[in-house]
């Protein structure tokens, strides 16, 4: 088991390096730092001095990959590639345009992000599985048929509409919870109710339908017939036999996104004014703060890869057939 | 005596397409307490649907529309679902065909057996555990206290079926429905499971409804037999009556279609056409269209039950009291036309068309941090064989012994690890791709599964042309210099080929899904013949087919050999097919050939203990001649980690200390008959092992 | 020449897509086994209704794809040739010229005759009053909107409705005549068969959907000649016009993204599964790396870089439309880069399974070449996966565009799309009273488009995925039913498995 995890981490390294190279190419090769400086400073009133100053402030004034002027090892280390890309492996993300340390900003913003994403994830998983199971129980009836129709309709509504509609209806019209904002400690709960609720509802359509397909596929298998032949009731068959087998694809499919929960949700955080990583990213994109976007890309891939490793491990926990040596 | 189970006029339909399919159509039968009732029929005749109707476990598109199913006087079809649950698993239990799929993969064996006890006896705690232990012991699971907490995937196929039986027995049922319980198992394992079922029946006196397509299994197990055809029972009798004097033309055909030694060179009887669609309405006898004895009456009036002798009833106009027509010997002997026999003159008889020496195929196992190769699955481990031109070599063995791998390695579809494959003197192993492609027209393969061996997206004509296109034309042009075949002759060739395998030429424009299993197998043979091969490797070509269809294919193969002088490597597990078709036979066990020789030598006088066990395990119909089944204990070991010494020694009754250490050398009894066993290596005069006992 | 045709990049690709589709249709029609699943799609009620609606959307989208620049009157000599306006117009723009050109000052509600904001107006007597000024175009024909509006609205709506129904009748008669001649029945017979819904394809529901579309369209067109039926936005542009324009953007993103990524996904997926070994390793590494970057972030990063590039290379684009179009294309490409991995993985898995199939072994035994095996055996057998993925992806991509535009990395701000509409409108959410109509229009149009795409995709999947089918079957009087079983005399949706026979 331990060996296996080590091996998986070992496999993850080349992927991270790949991600790093892709981001480096995207941010520094497609457009040179000079281009970016000109863009940020405004094309019209630009002076070479301003460009140099802009580059110096951000440490973009070095050569890309190879520094011919430096000595020894520093030929490689005193470069943009080393200082901006390689350093990300030790979580040194540098500073944002407003001068703050990105790494520190990320650590403080993770918690509020998790505050929404985790409840959405857990409540969502629970309710989706419940509804899908109910529809499976009532399969081949009108309940099931209309359930599917409702799911398709829910799927067809844009996520933005859930947020805007929810804010309008619950916050503005009924005044049940505040529309947006964030507080500390328990105070935060009342701000989180709305985004969590909306988060769960907006994912409902596609997830319930997907889980229902998994359940239906499972229920058509031979072992279900065996279970029925034992005289077990439909309820026992569904909960003991089908659920346990169907949870393997459902759980392992869900585990992948667990680490990504830290990154929060881009859209809903900025709509609800929650100071999480999602809104941080959006702000960075809007103000074209490249170093923050780069850091988030790297972090996102890292979390995704951790998710892949966790998925493999979770397989061994829920499926007795899979043993990792 | 009142019957335990009484099914009357059962009608079950399946909603599929526009018209409902009447899968069971007015079925009536009775099963007495403690007896084994065999329901015999070919695939699609509705026998499984009958069983599921009794359990009321039909698929969701299925529906019982009329009839009654009474157990001990209680009509199951009138019970509410909740009461039915107290019947299932308690009064009637069922075991299914595929033990691999029928057990829940994520629950332990103990859980799955215990579930029945909890449901029906409300057992808990220690009492529950003790009962589970007892039941699992009863069905012969070794080391129960440890193994009961393992999951199904940790059990072999035969063991899984034992677990299924344990689950079925846990409710102490009055009736056990066994739906093809041994079809998915090897012969030696089948013998074990059948023996277990009989002994359990003797022990607790339950009745068994045995659903099977295998006449041999029926002969072995049944007290009563009912033959089912197209949704209804056509003949019912006690076993002895049935086997001595089968009456219905369909039953007779089934017997006549069985291959065997006695029918060599005579050809097998076949049934024309296919089973009628059950979605249609029948006005006459269902079998009339395929029956050799059908007359006008058969097409217009449904035959009633007629008594042949006491207790032997048949649904056929031939036996009605007022029928003039009597049948003497309804089996029409099919003679292979002597023309075809003589048409072929062996061109240059090559005694070694194919010569395989010490062929090895090892698949590496990767493990550890760096995926190092830590071991090998020795699928084929030193196989040597020779096939002369125009002859048939049968390669016999149970599943997992590596026989299919041998076939593919000979064709170079899997690269051999070591050894040599010489075709007509040319070494194929390591031959460069281009040269190999030129040579590929000479040897072809016919696969087991007629459903996956034809590309569903191609017309038959394209499937057959594929061989011509991808090899023949290209290379012929190169060789014969500027004589490209025109397209017309190509299509003509396809037509000829289709006719040759007994299909009408217009077949070419249709798609594979429009054909039945037997027809597909004919197409696959036509495809192989398209490139004029001299050697055909047949990898279990009939094992997915019904007996009557199997007979057609075997006849076809035989006729082709006679007219074209083909050589066959016939890979199979079916001994009776070997008896019928093969000239020589090689028996494989765990990647090695343990015995080989001519059919008479090996089947008539088997020497290796494994061959003896294998042959004795095959259920036979001639049950007068009492044979003794040499029961092998345990399962075939895994080729990853084969036993030391002789691979067979852990299961062998004659194993001595030397068998544990060194693999035996060859011992020859005649120039052709060879075995690898210590029983014969040191002292030739050693008495026959079977007589030793 | 009075105009100069312009083929933008996305236009060209749409034409290419049309050619591909026409070829595909021709190919399918000539192959019976390929036609079979499409017939099943044709028999699905929801699928055909959705398709009818989709065709309507696609027509608007195609009208909006034919671009040109119209000639401008020039004072200079004719020698220098005609000068074309810098504005690129489409056929739809020409048809909707009134909608396009009638700009109000700022917000106005649907069917309003006055602006949404008070302005200071100088009366003829020199006094200044703050009130809602009349619109320049909306309801300009009315003398006294308060009294005349209802009557005017009703009469125009009625005329529009009748017009719509008239057109529908013509279409229906044409369709029924066509069906009658194809089926060899009389017109009246065909009509009654359709009315009783006994045709193989649900023509009754198709006609009903058409009736709904035509009456709505008729009413909308007639009314929009004199009112802003969905109001106007901040700069006074008609929201109905914007909604129509957004359709093309949505369609382009939904289709071109797939068109662009398909060749890569198919080629790499099949290669990885077929050749295994190092080829497989390299391809797997590539798609794992790409898919490990969260897609929104990758798109954001790429679009930001694109922005920098276009800002610093403005000289490359001769019109704003061309620049916006290139950005749209780039968005499609980058969306394709993030979405090909899923299909690639699916195809790899399926190919791994297929390559062990016996018919492929048989082809190997003939010495068939790799190319031949891939093109004749593997590709046709994974086609259904490609098709299902394509139709399933469409709606997701349309929805994604809205989110991306909100995040600020979507289409060019000058290009009208659902995303830009929502983005512009949400800023007015806090306004009292609320400006709700741009949001609502964008969402309704988007919902109709995505829902019909989803329903169509569902029926395609049902028809092409052989494993599980959901279909409506009738269960007659069952014997168990008499005892009060759940299934009594009921039409139930049942899961029919292919292997119902033993």
């Amino acid at each position: 088991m331990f060996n296996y995890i080590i091996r998986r981490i070992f496999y993850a390294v080349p992927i991270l390096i790949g991600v790093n190279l892709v981001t480096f190419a995207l941010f520094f090769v497609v457009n040179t730092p000079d281009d970016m400086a000109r863009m940020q400073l405004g094309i019209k009133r630009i002076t070479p001095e301003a460009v140099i100053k802009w580059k110096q402030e951000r440490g973009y004034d070095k050569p890309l990959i190879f520094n011919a002027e430096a000595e020894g090892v520093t030929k490689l280390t005193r470069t943009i590639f080393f200082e901006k890309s390689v350093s990300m492996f030790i979580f040194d993300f540098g500073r944002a345009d407003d001068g703050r340390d990105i790494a520190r900003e990320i650590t403080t913003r993770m918690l509020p992000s998790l505050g929404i994403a985790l409840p959405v994830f857990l409540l969502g998983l629970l309710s989706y599985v419940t509804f899908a199971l109910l529809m499976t129980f009532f399969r081949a009836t009108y309940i099931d048929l209309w359930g599917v129709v409702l799911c398709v309709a829910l799927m067809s509504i844009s996520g933005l509409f859930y947020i805007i509609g929810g804010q309008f209806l619950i916050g503005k019209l009924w005044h049940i919870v505040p529309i947006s904002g964030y507080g500390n400690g328990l105070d935060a709960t009342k701000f989180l109710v709305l985004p969590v609720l909306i988060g769960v509802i907006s994912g409902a359509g596609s997830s319930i339908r997907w889980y229902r397909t998994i359940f239906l596929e499972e229920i058509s298998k031979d072992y279900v017939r065996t279970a029925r032949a034992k005289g077990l009731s439909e309820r026992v068959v569904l909960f003991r036999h089908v659920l346990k087998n169907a949870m393997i694809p459902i759980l392992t499919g869900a585990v992948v996104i667990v680490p990504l929960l830290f990154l929060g949700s881009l859209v809903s955080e900025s709509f609800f004014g929650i100071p999480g990583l999602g809104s941080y990213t959006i702000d960075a994109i809007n103000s074209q703060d490249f170093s923050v976007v780069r850091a988030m890309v790297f972090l996102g891939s890292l979390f995704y890869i951790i998710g892949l490793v966790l998925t493999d491990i979770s397989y061994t926990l829920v499926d007795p057939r899979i043993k990792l040596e | 005596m009142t019957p335990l189970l009484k099914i009357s006029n059962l009608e079950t339909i399946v909603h599929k397409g526009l018209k409902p399919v009447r899968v069971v159509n007015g079925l009536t039968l009775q099963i007495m307490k403690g007896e084994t009732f065999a329901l015999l029929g070919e695939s699609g005749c509705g026998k499984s649907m009958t069983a599921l109707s009794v359990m009321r476990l039909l698929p969701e598109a299925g529906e019982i529309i009329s009839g009654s199913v009474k157990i001990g006087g209680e009509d199951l079809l009138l019970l509410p679902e909740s009461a039915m649950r107290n019947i299932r698993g308690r009064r009637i239990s069922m075991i299914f065909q595929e033990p691999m799929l029928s057990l829940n993969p994520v629950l332990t064996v103990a859980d799955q057996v215990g579930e029945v006890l909890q449901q029906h006896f409300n057992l808990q705690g220690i009492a529950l555990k003790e009962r589970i232990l007892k039941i699992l012991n009863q069905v012969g699971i070794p080391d129960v206290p440890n193994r009961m907490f393992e999951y199904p995937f940790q059990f072999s196929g035969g063991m899984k079926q034992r677990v299924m039986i344990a689950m079925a027995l846990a409710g102490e049922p009055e009736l056990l429905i066994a739906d093809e319980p041994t079809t998915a198992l090897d012969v030696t394992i089948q013998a074990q499971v059948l023996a277990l079922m009989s002994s359990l029946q003797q022990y607790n006196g339950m009745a068994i409804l045995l659903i099977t397509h295998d006449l041999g299994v029926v002969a072995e197990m049944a007290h009563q037999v009912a033959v089912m055809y197209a949704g209804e029972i056509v003949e019912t009798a006690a076993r002895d009556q049935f086997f001595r004097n089968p009456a219905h033309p369909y039953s007779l055909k089934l017997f006549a279609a069985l291959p065997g030694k006695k029918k060599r060179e005579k050809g097998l009887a076949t049934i024309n056409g296919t089973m009628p669609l059950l979605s249609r309405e029948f006005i006459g006898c269902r079998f009339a269209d395929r029956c050799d004895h059908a007359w006008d009456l058969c097409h217009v009036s449904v035959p009633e039950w007629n008594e042949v002798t006491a207790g032997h009833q048949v649904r056929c106009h031939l036996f009605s009291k007022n029928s003039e027509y009597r049948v003497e010997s309804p089996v029409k002997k099919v003679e292979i036309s002597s023309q075809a026999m003589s048409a072929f003159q062996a061109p240059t008889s090559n005694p070694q068309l194919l010569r395989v020496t010490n062929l090895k195929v090892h698949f590496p196992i990767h493990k550890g941090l760096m995926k190092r190769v830590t071991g090998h699955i020795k699928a084929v481990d030193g196989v040597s064989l020779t096939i002369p031109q125009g002859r048939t070599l049968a390669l016999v063995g149970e599943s997992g012994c590596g026989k299919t791998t041998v076939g593919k390695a000979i064709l170079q579809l899997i690269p051999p690890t070591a050894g040599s494959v010489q075709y007509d003197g040319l070494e194929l192993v390591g031959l460069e791709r281009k040269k190999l492609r030129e040579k590929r027209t000479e040897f072809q393969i016919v696969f087991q599964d007629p459903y996956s061996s034809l590309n569903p997206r191609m017309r038959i004509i394209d499937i057959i042309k594929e061989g011509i296109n991808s090899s023949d034309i290209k290379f012929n042009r190169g060789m014969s210099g500027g004589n490209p075949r025109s397209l017309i002759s190509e299509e003509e060739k396809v037509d000829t080929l289709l006719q040759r395998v007994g299909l009408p030429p217009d077949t070419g424009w249709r798609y594979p899904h429009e054909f039945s299993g037997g027809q597909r197998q004919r197409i696959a043979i036509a495809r192989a013949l398209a490139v004029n091969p001299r050697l055909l490797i047949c990898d279990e070509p009939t094992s997915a087919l019904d007996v009557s269809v199997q007979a057609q294919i075997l006849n076809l193969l035989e006729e082709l050999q006679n007219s074209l002088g083909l050589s066959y490597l016939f890979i199979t597990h079916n001994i009776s097919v070997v008896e019928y078709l093969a000239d020589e036979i090689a028996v494989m066990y765990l990647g090695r050939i343990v015995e080989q020789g001519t059919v008479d030598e090996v089947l008539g006088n088997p020497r290796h203990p494994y061959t003896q066990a294998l042959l004795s395990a095959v259920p036979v119909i001639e049950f007068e001649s009492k044979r003794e089944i040499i029961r092998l204990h345990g399962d075939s070991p895994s080729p990853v980690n084969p036993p030391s010494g002789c691979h067979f020694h852990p299961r062998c009754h004659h194993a001595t200390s030397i068998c544990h250490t060194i693999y035996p050398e060859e011992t020859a009894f005649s120039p052709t008959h060879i075995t690898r066993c210590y029983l014969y290596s040191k002292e030739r005069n050693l008495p026959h092992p079977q007589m030793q006992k | 020449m009075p105009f100069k045709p312009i083929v933008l990049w996305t236009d060209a690709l749409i034409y290419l897509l049309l050619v591909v589709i026409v070829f595909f249709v021709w190919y399918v029609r000539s192959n019976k086994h390929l036609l079979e699943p499409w017939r099943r799609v044709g028999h699905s009620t929801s699928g055909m209704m959705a398709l009818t609606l989709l065709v309507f959307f696609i027509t608007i989208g195609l009208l909006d794809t034919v671009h040109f620049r119209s000639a401008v009157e020039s004072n200079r000599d004719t020698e220098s040739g005609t000068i074309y306006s810098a504005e690129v117009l489409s056929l739809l723009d020409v048809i909707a010229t009134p909608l396009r050109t009638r700009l109000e000052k700022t917000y106005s509600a649907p069917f309003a005759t006055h602006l949404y904001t008070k302005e200071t107006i100088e009366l003829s007597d020199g006094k200044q009053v703050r009130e809602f000024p009349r619109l320049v175009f909306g309801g300009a024909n009315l003398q006294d909107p308060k009294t005349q509006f209802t009557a005017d609205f009703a009469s125009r709506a009625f005329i529009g409705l009748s017009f719509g129904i008239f057109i529908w009748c013509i279409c229906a008669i044409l369709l029924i005549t066509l069906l009658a001649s194809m089926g060899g029945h009389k017109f009246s017979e065909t009509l009654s068969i359709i009315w009783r819904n006994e045709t193989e394809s649900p023509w009754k529901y198709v006609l009903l959907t058409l009736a709904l579309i035509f009456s709505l369209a008729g009413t909308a067109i007639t009314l929009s000649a004199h009112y802003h039926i969905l109001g106007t936005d901040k700069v006074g542009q008609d929201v109905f016009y914007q909604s129509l324009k957004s359709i093309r953007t949505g369609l382009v993103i939904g289709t071109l993204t797939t068109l662009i990524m398909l060749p890569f996904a198919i080629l790499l997926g099949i290669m990885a599964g077929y050749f295994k070994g190092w080829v497989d390793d390299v391809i797997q590494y590539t798609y794992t790396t790409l898919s490990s970057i969260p897609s929104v972030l990758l798109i954001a990063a790429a679009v930001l870089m694109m922005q920098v590039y276009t800002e610093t290379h403005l000289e490359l684009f001769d019109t704003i439309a061309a620049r916006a179009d290139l950005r749209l294309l780039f968005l499609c490409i980058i969306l394709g880069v993030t979405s090909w991995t899923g299909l690639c993985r699916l195809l790899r898995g399926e190919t791994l399974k297929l390559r062990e199939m016996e018919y492929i072994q048989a082809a190997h035994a003939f010495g068939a070449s790799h190319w031949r095996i891939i093109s004749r055996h593997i590709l046709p057998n994974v086609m259904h996966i490609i098709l299902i993925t394509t139709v399933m992806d469409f709606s997701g991509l349309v929805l994604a565009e809205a989110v991306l535009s909100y995040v600020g990395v979507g289409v060019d701000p000058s290009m009208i799309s659902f995303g830009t509409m929502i983005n512009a409108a949400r800023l007015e959410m806090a306004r009292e009273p609320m400006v709700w109509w741009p949001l609502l229009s964008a969402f309704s149009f988007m919902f109709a488009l995505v829902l019909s795409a989803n329903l169509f995709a569902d029926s395609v999947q049902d028809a092409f995925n052989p494993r599980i089918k959901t279909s409506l079957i009738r269960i007659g009087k069952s014997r168990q039913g008499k005892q009060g079983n759940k299934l009594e005399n009921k039409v139930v949706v049942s899961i029919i498995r292919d292997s119902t026979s033993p």
Side-chain angles (χ1 to χ4, degrees), chain B residues 14-16 23 43-44 46-49 56 59-68 75 77-78 81 408 411 413 433 437 440-441 443-445 447-459 462-463 465-471 511 513-514 527-528 531, chain C residues 27 30-34 36-37 200 274 356-373 376-384 464 466 473-483 485 487 492-502:
Chain B
V14 170
H15 298 273
K16 197 180 183 185
V23 283
S43 56
K47 51 193 195 302
S48 290
M49 283 295 161
R56 276 178 47 188
E60 282 176 39
E63 190 196 356
I64 300 168
I65 48 173
S66 71
S68 69
D75 192 343
L77 300 187
L78 297 177
E81 179 61 24
K408 289 186 178 166
L411 289 179
L413 292 176
R433 197 177 144 81
R437 277 175 69 181
R440 279 200 182 279
T441 53
F443 36 88
Q444 282 300 313
I445 182 163
F447 290 100
Q448 169 176 7
D449 182 3
Y451 291 88
S452 75
S453 63
L454 303 179
N455 186 342
R457 313 266 168 194
M458 277 163 86
R459 287 199 183 91
D462 297 322
I463 289 176
K465 267 195 208 162
E466 166 143 67
I468 308 175
N469 287 340
S470 56
S471 46
Y511 287 93
H513 68 89
E514 296 170 57
R527 171 178 61 187
V531 292
Chain C
Y27 185 72
S30 58
N31 285 274
K32 204 165 59 135
H33 69 294
L34 294 176
E36 194 45 45
E200 282 203 325
Y274 181 77
E356 301 303 325
M357 291 295 271
E358 290 178 341
Y359 57 82
I360 288 179
Q361 301 263 322
H364 278 300
F366 283 126
S369 64
H370 293 313
W371 167 244
R372 194 184 170 84
I373 289 175
R376 305 249 306 179
H377 293 287
I378 292 181
L379 193 60
N381 282 296
V382 295
M383 234 23 223
H384 66 283
F464 281 85
I473 58 158
R474 273 163 217 282
I475 297 249
K477 272 186 187 166
S478 73
R479 192 161 182 279
Q480 295 155 24
K482 287 179 206 151
Q483 276 75 47
N485 195 295
L487 295 178
V492 296
V493 184
S494 174
I495 313 306
I496 308 175
R497 260 153 256 118
D498 261 7
S499 53
T500 35
S501 51

Side-chain angles (χ1 to χ4, degrees), chain B residues 301-319:
Chain B
S301 132
V302 177
E304 289 304 307
W305 280 111
N306 295 305
E307 197 151 81
V308 181
T309 52
H312 187 173
Q313 290 189 309
V314 63
R315 237 183 186 173
C316 180
H317 287 303
L318 286 175
F319 296 89

Side-chain angles (χ1 to χ4, degrees), chain B residues 526-673:
Chain B
R527 171 178 61 187
L529 292 180
V531 292
N532 301 321
R534 289 159 77 195
L535 169 70
L536 204 54
I537 295 184
C538 303
D539 187 359
E540 306 247 21
T542 60
S543 65
L545 306 175
D546 279 319
V547 189
S548 60
V549 184
Q550 166 175 293
Q552 296 170 0
I553 299 294
L554 292 179
N555 282 348
L556 174 67
L557 286 173
E558 195 168 24
E559 191 230 294
L560 288 172
Q561 184 166 49
N562 289 334
S563 59
L564 300 173
L566 295 177
S567 311
Y568 293 136
L569 174 63
F570 204 92
I571 298 167
T572 186
H573 66 274
N574 190 334
I575 301 289
S576 55
V577 170
V578 175
E579 282 179 325
Y580 173 72
L581 200 72
D583 300 307
E584 280 166 55
I585 177 169
V587 182
M588 247 185 118
Y589 186 77
L590 221 60
R592 293 184 182 180
I593 290 178
V594 294
E595 183 164 3
Q596 80 195 102
T598 64
V599 166
D600 290 334
E601 283 167 342
V602 176
L603 298 185
N605 188 11
R607 296 305 185 100
H608 197 280
Y610 175 66
T611 317
Q612 290 166 357
L614 190 67
L615 294 182
S616 77
V618 179
V620 285
I621 303 172
E622 294 92 357
F623 49 90
E624 283 96 340
S625 59
K626 273 287 166 213
R627 72 194 162 108
E628 190 160 339
I629 299 176
I630 304 170
R631 206 150 286 146
L632 293 179
H633 34 77
D635 302 299
S636 214
S638 137
V640 180
N641 197 6
S644 59
C646 172
H647 291 168
F648 188 59
H649 83 257
R651 301 173 78 192
C652 185
H653 294 281
H654 312 285
T656 55
S657 58
I658 188 161
C659 299
H660 293 247
T661 48
I662 305 162
Y663 198 84
E665 286 301 310
E666 280 181 6
T667 312
F669 302 98
S670 75
T672 46
H673 194 184

Side-chain angles (χ1 to χ4, degrees), chain B residues 151-415:
Chain B
Y151 293 91
F153 76 97
Q154 288 159 300
F155 287 72
S156 68
M159 284 297 153
K160 279 188 200 137
Q161 198 59 299
R162 283 172 193 264
V163 172
M164 280 297 291
I165 294 175
M167 273 162 42
L169 288 179
E172 293 162 10
E174 296 156 62
L175 174 68
L176 173 70
I177 303 179
D179 186 359
E180 304 263 14
T182 55
T183 309
L185 305 175
D186 279 322
V187 194
T188 53
I189 308 296
Q190 163 170 302
Q192 291 174 358
V193 170
L194 291 180
L196 172 70
M197 281 170 62
S198 317
S199 73
L200 289 170
Q201 184 179 33
Q202 273 161 21
Y203 178 75
N204 58 19
M206 65 184 173
I208 296 178
L209 172 58
L210 178 70
I211 291 167
T212 183
H213 68 281
D214 190 334
L215 276 168
V217 171
V218 174
E220 199 111 304
M221 297 286 291
H223 302 120
Q224 281 287 326
V225 182
V227 181
M228 202 166 169
Y229 180 78
E232 65 173 21
I233 292 179
V234 293
E235 177 167 7
T236 171
R239 174 182 63 170
D240 292 9
Q241 284 173 323
F242 179 73
F243 281 92
R244 288 215 179 84
N245 187 20
H248 197 280
Y250 175 64
S251 316
L252 289 165
K253 281 282 192 185
L254 285 183
F255 278 98
L258 277 183
K261 205 175 173 187
K262 291 172 191 158
K263 294 173 189 156
R264 274 182 87 99
E265 312 292 318
K266 284 184 195 148
L268 296 169
T270 56
I271 311 180
N272 307 321
T274 51
M275 196 179 286
L277 287 177
L278 294 178
S279 50
R280 68 169 237 213
E281 202 86 47
F282 292 99
I283 41 167
C285 171
R286 276 145 210 253
F287 190 59
D289 290 339
R290 307 173 70 188
C291 184
D292 296 335
H293 312 284
W295 73 94
D296 301 346
L297 182 66
C298 299
H299 292 283
V300 291
S301 132
V302 177
E304 289 304 307
W305 280 111
N306 295 305
E307 197 151 81
V308 181
T309 52
H312 187 173
Q313 290 189 309
V314 63
R315 237 183 186 173
C316 180
H317 287 303
L318 286 175
F319 296 89
S320 74
K321 295 275 183 304
N322 45 13
S323 165
E324 298 293 304
Y325 195 101
R326 273 283 181 272
V327 58
E328 270 85 57
S329 168
V331 183
K332 197 173 100 192
K333 291 278 186 281
V334 179
E335 299 290 338
I336 296 284
S337 59
S338 49
Q339 265 181 314
M341 296 272 242
S342 57
F344 163 68
Q345 267 100 33
T348 43
S349 192
N350 184 345
Q352 291 191 344
L353 182 70
L354 181 78
R355 186 185 162 84
V356 177
T357 351
N358 207 15
L359 183 73
K360 288 184 182 176
V361 182
H362 294 182
F363 300 109
I365 308 165
H366 299 281
K367 256 187 191 170
L369 197 61
M370 297 300 293
K371 292 253 176 191
R372 277 174 298 115
V373 177
T374 53
H376 285 94
I377 300 171
K378 294 177 178 169
V380 180
D381 198 19
V383 163
S384 306
L385 43 87
T386 315
I387 305 177
Q389 171 113 42
R391 306 278 280 175
T392 303
L393 171 74
L395 190 58
V396 181
E398 293 182 295
S399 56
C401 74
K403 54 190 192 299
T404 298
T405 315
V406 171
K408 289 186 178 166
I410 289 174
L411 289 179
Q412 307 297 312
L413 292 176
I414 299 174

Side-chain angles (χ1 to χ4, degrees), chain A residues 35 37 49 65 91 100 163 188 199 222 253 290 303 314:
Chain A
D35 286 337
E49 294 76 38
I65 306 171
F91 300 105
R100 292 197 217 172
I163 297 175
D222 279 3
F290 301 111
F303 284 157
S314 68

